[in-house]
Each structure stands twice: as structure tokens, then as C-alpha cells.
Amino acid sequence: GIVSTFAKMHFKCRATVVPYLNSTITRFLVPDDKVPWSVEWSSYLPVEYTDPSTNGKPWADSNDLSKMRFNELDGNVNRKSHNGDYLIDGNGRPLNPVGRTGLSGRGILGRWGPNHAADPIVSRIKDGRLQFVAIKRKDNGEWAIPGGMVDPGEEVSATLKREFGEEALGGKKSAEMDNIWRNGRRLYAGYVDDPRNTDNSWMETVVVNFHDYEGVMDDVQLEAGDDAASVRWVAADSNEPLYASHKSFIDLLCASITI
Ligand code: RP5
């Protein structure tokens, strides 16, 4: 099925046509057959990169990995993967569960190992077509589901509402949205093929669909905010490219809703 396919191979985090986000770094080229760590590749020389601007940030790990409890809940930082236990290499660094990315280090991500996010898909049927709310990301200009990082100790259900509010409702409170948040359906939990992933840091997410059966969203004013440059309804069956693995998530949505 869709899930097992896209969580077993990655493409966007191997791209060499564009430099790594906010840098001039280009990844070491990794062909498809060399992605799995189980395939020996003695001449593999990933580029080492940890964005210096992340150092000392409250949301970022230090570079002393010796005290981090990988594959566990480490204080209030969740270092467990949705995909089961991940490996630790000879230098004590977590290994990307899908495989090589051509870049080692933490990149621009905050955590060594999994970086947990949540993606709310707010959907409706309008004029006979399934639509969902999408935002345009400020970091790379791509259209995306308005997801975001789970704060340490935060419940995923809270992250979903908070991120949608910040990015798609301009940070404004909306009483109508309470009806939407009542019925969530989990579509996916696991690895994301995010362009920021490295050999040692990667994105994971929980995708939850909130389908508007009652036309509640007709009275909700969408407004871009925070990390979003714009917001709009997008037809789920349009073939618009989306950020990271988001197109696969929308495919799961399409497969689960009858029009
Ligand atoms: C993606 O990055 C996830 O699917 C989620 O949409 C997003 C979270 O990162 P930020 O939007 O906070 O940068 O991998």
C-alpha cells in the first residue's frame, strides 16, 4: 500500500538540484540502490552539516549526544520513533530509519533522531470535489498541509489545533472550529520524506483528517499567519506538487472519503 511504499524509500531528502535549506551545501549523491544502510558502500562520504543558527536554540539539542536517551521518552522530549527502534552508529548518532541522505549531522532540524510533527488535514466537499486547506510555506515556497512541530510534552491533539490556528486562521480564535476538532481520523503516523532530513535527524508526523460534514467551514475565514505566506482550499484530486510527503497523505485522504 501507499504507506509502506513511501515510508521505505526517500527522494526529497536526497535532492542535489537545490542546496540544503538556508545553506550553500549540496548533498553527496545517493543512488536508490545505495539508500539502505544494509547495502555496504565504503566510498560513501556524506557532507557533515549542522546549521550554526540552531545552536543554543531552546528547541534544539546540544551536540553532546552522550546523555541523550534515544528510542525513549527523554524527559519531555520524545525520542521514540513511530517506525520502531532506530539504530545508533559507532559515534553514538541515530541513523535515519529509511537510509542514506547524503548529509550527516543535524542539518537545520532541532533534534538528533526523530523530530515530531503533526499534520491536520481539514477537508470538505465543495461543488462535488474534495478539497483541503493548504498553506504556502515561507521557508521554500512550497504548498503544504498546515502542520508543525510537537512541543516537548505537548499532546498531538493540541499541536494539530494550534498549528492550524497559527498558520491558517491568522492566530485568531474561531468558535466554529470547535465542531471541526471534535471528529478526527488518524490517517498516518511515521516517517516523512522531508527535504530537511539527514542521516542522523529526520521528520516524523501524525496525520489526522478533520472532515467538515456540516458546512461549518463556510463560516470560517482563512488567513495566513506565522510560517505561512498564504492559505487556500486546494482540490484533493488536483496534481499540484506538495511539500515533503504531503501528496501521499492527500492520496490517503482521497482513498478514505467517498464523494
Ligand atoms: C513536515 O514538516 C511535516 O509533515 C510537517 O508538515 C512539517 C513540520 O515542520 P514545520 O512546518 O514546523 O517546519 O515534515
Side-chain angles (χ1 to χ4, degrees):
I2 290 168
V3 174
S4 54
T5 318
F6 78 76
K8 275 184 187 132
M9 184 38 97
H10 52 208
F11 301 93
K12 297 199 176 176
C13 64
R14 282 191 286 141
T16 53
V17 285
V18 285
Y20 187 83
L21 189 63
N22 290 356
S23 81
T24 53
I25 307 277
T26 303
R27 294 173 187 270
F28 189 87
L29 187 69
V30 180
D32 288 1
D33 61 309
K34 294 290 200 314
V35 168
W37 296 111
S38 56
V39 176
E40 255 187 75
W41 190 15
S42 55
S43 49
Y44 178 52
L45 276 177
V47 183
E48 169 71 21
Y49 180 63
T50 296
D51 188 321
S53 74
T54 65
N55 289 334
K57 289 278 165 24
W59 43 266
D61 285 337
S62 74
N63 290 326
D64 174 11
L65 287 83
S66 64
K67 291 186 194 75
M68 290 168 202
R69 294 156 58 120
F70 293 116
N71 287 307
E72 285 180 54
L73 190 61
D74 183 4
N76 60 6
V77 178
N78 183 9
R79 301 193 192 278
K80 284 159 90 88
S81 167
H82 291 292
N83 296 48
D85 280 2
Y86 47 87
L87 302 170
I88 307 296
D89 74 8
N91 299 316
R93 287 178 170 192
L95 281 180
N96 185 308
V98 170
R100 298 181 177 96
T101 69
L103 199 138
S104 59
R106 199 153 47 69
I108 200 170
L109 295 175
R111 304 287 173 199
W112 295 95
N115 287 254
H116 288 286
D119 284 296
I121 304 182
V122 173
S123 60
R124 70 175 179 189
I125 293 166
K126 191 84 176 170
D127 305 324
R129 279 180 101 184
L130 180 60
Q131 303 179 325
F132 68 98
V133 174
I135 55 108
K136 191 179 167 75
R137 294 179 62 96
K138 278 185 187 163
D139 64 352
N140 70 351
E142 291 184 28
W143 284 89
I145 298 161
M149 309 302 300
V150 182
D151 290 335
E154 187 179 37
E155 292 286 345
V156 168
S157 57
T159 312
L160 293 160
K161 297 181 204 176
R162 179 176 59 72
E163 287 291 337
F164 191 87
E166 288 172 7
E167 297 186 345
L169 302 173
K172 300 202 176 92
K173 284 258 176 302
S174 154
E176 286 85 11
M177 288 305 294
D178 290 343
N179 297 304
I180 297 294
W181 302 130
R182 215 162 279 154
N183 293 306
R185 279 188 316 130
R186 184 185 275 223
L187 296 181
Y188 175 75
Y191 184 82
V192 185
D193 181 11
D194 189 289
R196 295 169 293 188
N197 292 355
T198 73
D199 287 359
N200 312 116
S201 295
W202 61 89
M203 293 297 306
E204 295 198 11
T205 194
V206 175
V207 182
V208 180
N209 175 219
F210 300 93
H211 189 75
D212 176 19
Y213 288 97
E214 278 145 30
V216 170
M217 291 305 291
D218 288 346
D219 301 320
V220 175
Q221 186 73 43
L222 298 179
E223 184 187 328
D226 197 40
D227 298 333
S230 28
V231 61
R232 68 186 169 96
W233 288 96
V234 170
D237 63 2
S238 74
N239 269 326
E240 270 192 59
L242 294 174
Y243 184 70
S245 303
H246 292 190
K247 184 71 182 76
S248 310
F249 303 156
I250 296 305
D251 289 345
L252 293 175
L253 171 76
C254 291
S256 71
I257 289 191
T258 6
I259 301 161

